[in-house]
Amino acid sequence: GEDVEQSLFLSVREGDSSVINCTYTDSSSTYLYWYKQEPGAGLQLLTYIFSNMDMKQDQRLTVLLNKKDKHLSLRIADTQTGDSAIYFCAESRGSTLGRLYFGRGTQLTVWP
Amino acid sequence: NAGVTQTPKFQVLKTGQSMTLQCAQDMNHNSMYWYRQDPGMGLRLIYYSASEGTTDKGEVPNGYNVSRLNKREFSLRLESAAPSQTSVYFCASIRQGNSPLHFGNGTRLTVT
């Protein structure tokens, strides 16, 4: 099947900004999502963006969407050790909104 | 509200055994989903139920069956477990329209 691609690892120092990148596959995707998963836990929705938007900001989180390049990014400002987790990018395709296609996840490690 | 509740949290099966994973949501959501997560992978859709009384296959349905018992409950059955079904299983639900997917905390299944 078609793949959603993410880099697997990112390390940053506490207080720096983190940028997690994702490329998706379907130019007709309706929504694009960022989920956070802490060890042994389920997936927590961080934010999502509708495909007709370029940017969405929510407190420390900024999502940028480049539809032409099918590129999505998540910027976390002032990264904290509690932000250490796996971050998944996901896209919805077609009319079944809960049918998501996930990347493999980016392991974010924040060093004090 | 509990959100999406999955039982059991952990399960160990021998090859060939059967079991049913239970999922219930109390958010009056219309659609429910079963995903599996394998190490180093994103989530992949097994089956979904867009509305009460309907079920459809996802990306990886082989070896599984589902039942949408009522609007609240969506179960996943393994008739004859295989080691390849060792995984973490997530149930999720969504309202129709512009709303995010809500996940349960997962069932960690090991098949020996």
Side-chain angles (χ1 to χ4, degrees), chain A residues 62-78:
Chain A
T62 302
V63 178
L64 296 178
L65 175 60
N66 180 330
K67 274 196 82 172
K68 175 175 168 291
D69 295 336
K70 297 180 194 163
H71 183 264
L72 182 74
S73 68
L74 173 70
R75 178 176 181 270
I76 306 173
D78 187 26

Side-chain angles (χ1 to χ4, degrees), chain A residues 1-2 8 31 33 35 37-45 48 86 88 96-105, chain B residues 33 35 37 40-45 48 57-59 90 94-106 108:
Chain A
E2 304 85 4
L8 295 182
Y31 291 94
Y33 300 84
Y35 283 88
Q37 185 179 37
E38 299 185 53
L43 273 72
Q44 172 196 350
L45 178 69
Y48 63 104
I86 301 176
F88 290 96
T96 306
L97 292 176
R99 184 168 187 165
L100 301 187
Y101 294 83
F102 285 81
R104 292 188 174 196
Chain B
Y33 301 79
Y35 286 85
Q37 182 182 27
M41 301 284 290
L43 278 69
R44 292 180 292 168
L45 182 64
Y48 67 100
K57 294 179 181 179
E59 298 173 76
F90 288 100
I94 192 170
R95 271 202 324 250
Q96 288 176 341
N98 180 10
S99 60
L101 197 59
H102 292 262
F103 282 89
N105 283 331
R108 284 149 184 81

Side-chain angles (χ1 to χ4, degrees), chain B:
Chain B
N1 284 343
V4 179
T5 303
Q6 292 184 235
T7 55
K9 289 185 169 51
F10 301 93
Q11 183 70 50
V12 179
L13 293 178
K14 294 188 189 309
T15 297
Q17 287 185 315
S18 62
M19 81 159 294
T20 300
L21 281 65
Q22 306 288 352
C23 174
Q25 52 89 11
D26 61 3
M27 297 173 284
N28 200 35
H29 285 176
N30 294 307
S31 304
M32 298 184 73
Y33 301 79
W34 277 105
Y35 286 85
R36 61 176 287 174
Q37 182 182 27
D38 300 305
M41 301 284 290
L43 278 69
R44 292 180 292 168
L45 182 64
I46 306 170
Y47 269 95
Y48 67 100
S49 170
S51 60
E52 191 177 353
T54 69
T55 60
D56 286 287
K57 294 179 181 179
E59 298 173 76
V60 289
N62 291 345
Y64 305 95
N65 286 302
V66 290
S67 295
R68 183 74 183 267
L69 304 168
N70 47 56
K71 192 170 186 180
R72 289 186 65 246
E73 298 172 288
F74 188 39
S75 62
L76 179 73
R77 182 158 178 84
L78 287 70
E79 289 291 351
S80 179
S84 61
Q85 294 178 305
T86 293
S87 189
V88 182
Y89 290 85
F90 288 100
C91 178
S93 68
I94 192 170
R95 271 202 324 250
Q96 288 176 341
N98 180 10
S99 60
L101 197 59
H102 292 262
F103 282 89
N105 283 331
T107 295
R108 284 149 184 81
L109 175 67
T110 302
V111 183
T112 61

